[in-house]
Amino acid sequence: MSNKGFEDRSDSFYHVKSDTISDSLMIEREKWMEEERKYLDSACLSETQKAEEDIKKNKLVFFHYFGLVEEYKGNTEMNELLKKYNIGVDSALTYCTVPPHLQNCYAQIMRKEIDRKFGATFIDSLRTTAEIQYIQKNPDKIYRFEECDWVSRYPGDTSYEEFSKSYERDFWKGVGYPDDFEYRKDKDLYSSMGATFVLYKTGKISDLKIDITFQNKKNYKYSSYFISQLKEFIQKTKWVPAKSSGITVNSEMRITLFFK
């Protein structure tokens, strides 16, 4: 519905009003940010002083970080290794909205002292040992993709980029399309087939599941044909097991193939 009172007002009125509101918000935002910086500066100064006091008392603390950082499997094992050096353990969160130099200042000072006292590679060395110990203690665990430093792959591949292309290329070399299969047209969405399975470090495969989606519903009559072909392909392939910390492990796998 139209409102005559609003229609009579000029465009310039709205621009001025909008600019006034925007300026007001910007001023409030700047005030808030200034107060926030004061708080963070004060908190960091206090944490720094506490860390320096604790260091004088020969107290050292290592921090596990959580949030927007790489997380590790072997934290429990890491804690046990640190105990041997009389280093305590705590945890801290990382925030994307807080300047790095103003967050977890106590933890930062402690880490610098640990590096100074034991060497720059000390923590990394312990972390590597802890991760290996974790894997050795959990020989039957099935690892997720992100937990592996060498993911499961198609035989002959030397990189993950190759993996995403080579298995699909070889699958379609041996699988033909039925004569009346209706191919994707330019503006059609892609149809695809995906498979998930567990690949054990022995090369054995289990829990194989396949899903298939055709944008053209007429092609669903060929679902069983394509599914059986993919099952046979997966089971005959000698997949290369994944590795975590250089150790061969069981892992989850997923592959996706697209139809023409």
Side-chain angles (χ1 to χ4, degrees):
M1 295 178 66
S2 62
N3 186 314
K4 185 62 177 172
F6 284 121
E7 290 174 357
D8 289 341
R9 298 180 184 183
S10 68
D11 288 342
S12 61
F13 169 85
Y14 288 71
H15 286 304
V16 171
K17 195 72 175 176
S18 175
D19 291 343
T20 302
I21 293 172
S22 177
D23 289 344
S24 176
L25 288 173
M26 288 296 293
I27 292 170
E28 287 299 317
R29 183 171 179 272
E30 285 298 326
K31 286 182 179 178
W32 176 83
M33 290 178 68
E34 184 178 348
E35 290 300 316
E36 185 73 4
R37 280 193 292 268
K38 288 180 181 178
Y39 168 77
L40 292 171
D41 285 337
S42 175
C44 185
L45 179 61
S46 176
E47 288 187 23
T48 300
Q49 290 174 342
K50 179 68 167 62
E52 290 172 349
E53 290 171 3
D54 285 346
I55 289 170
K56 289 178 181 178
K57 299 174 185 176
N58 293 319
K59 178 181 179 181
L60 292 177
V61 182
F62 172 81
F63 281 77
H64 295 289
Y65 286 94
F66 299 95
L68 301 174
V69 294
E70 181 181 2
E71 295 187 8
Y72 298 91
K73 304 179 289 294
N75 284 341
T76 300
E77 289 73 19
M78 183 69 170
N79 296 348
E80 291 300 315
L81 291 171
L82 289 164
K83 279 183 184 178
K84 297 178 180 179
Y85 296 88
N86 295 317
I87 299 174
V89 176
D90 206 335
S91 61
L93 287 171
T94 57
Y95 302 91
C96 60
T97 56
V98 180
H101 68 284
L102 290 179
Q103 60 177 305
N104 302 316
C105 295
Y106 181 92
Q108 291 188 48
I109 298 295
M110 280 291 172
R111 178 57 188 269
K112 287 179 181 178
E113 180 61 17
I114 291 172
D115 289 348
R116 185 197 68 78
K117 186 172 182 179
F118 295 98
T121 63
F122 172 72
I123 290 297
D124 287 342
S125 176
L126 286 190
R127 178 61 78 186
T128 298
T129 301
E131 294 296 292
I132 291 173
Q133 287 180 352
Y134 175 88
I135 295 167
Q136 291 172 337
K137 289 179 183 178
N138 298 275
D140 298 324
K141 177 178 175 177
I142 297 170
Y143 288 78
R144 301 187 310 276
F145 171 87
E146 61 271 18
E147 293 180 299
C148 301
D149 43 38
W150 176 275
V151 297
S152 312
R153 59 194 66 205
Y154 191 66
D157 290 351
T158 58
S159 69
Y160 185 69
E161 288 71 25
E162 284 184 279
F163 170 70
S164 62
K165 299 175 183 177
S166 54
Y167 69 80
E168 185 171 18
R169 177 199 63 214
D170 288 354
F171 173 78
W172 288 118
K173 278 182 181 178
V175 177
Y177 286 89
D179 291 339
D180 59 343
F181 182 90
E182 299 201 20
Y183 297 97
R184 174 180 178 268
K185 294 180 175 59
D186 291 341
K187 294 183 180 180
D188 291 346
L189 296 173
Y190 279 98
S191 298
S192 63
M193 180 166 52
T196 58
F197 56 95
V198 173
L199 176 63
Y200 292 90
K201 50 194 171 186
T202 60
K204 177 186 172 184
I205 288 172
S206 74
D207 301 324
L208 174 58
K209 298 181 181 66
I210 295 177
D211 57 82
I212 192 166
T213 301
F214 288 113
Q215 300 301 328
N216 189 324
K217 307 304 179 187
K218 294 179 182 179
N219 288 329
Y220 272 108
K221 61 186 174 182
Y222 297 117
S223 294
S224 59
Y225 163 70
F226 286 114
I227 289 173
S228 65
Q229 291 292 324
L230 183 54
K231 280 184 177 179
E232 183 180 355
F233 175 79
I234 289 172
Q235 290 166 345
K236 285 185 175 180
T237 298
K238 293 183 178 180
W239 301 94
V240 180
K243 290 185 178 182
S244 184
S245 298
I247 300 173
T248 304
V249 296
N250 309 319
S251 66
E252 298 173 345
M253 278 199 74
R254 178 170 182 85
I255 63 173
T256 302
L257 303 98
F258 294 94
F259 293 97
K260 291 182 180 178

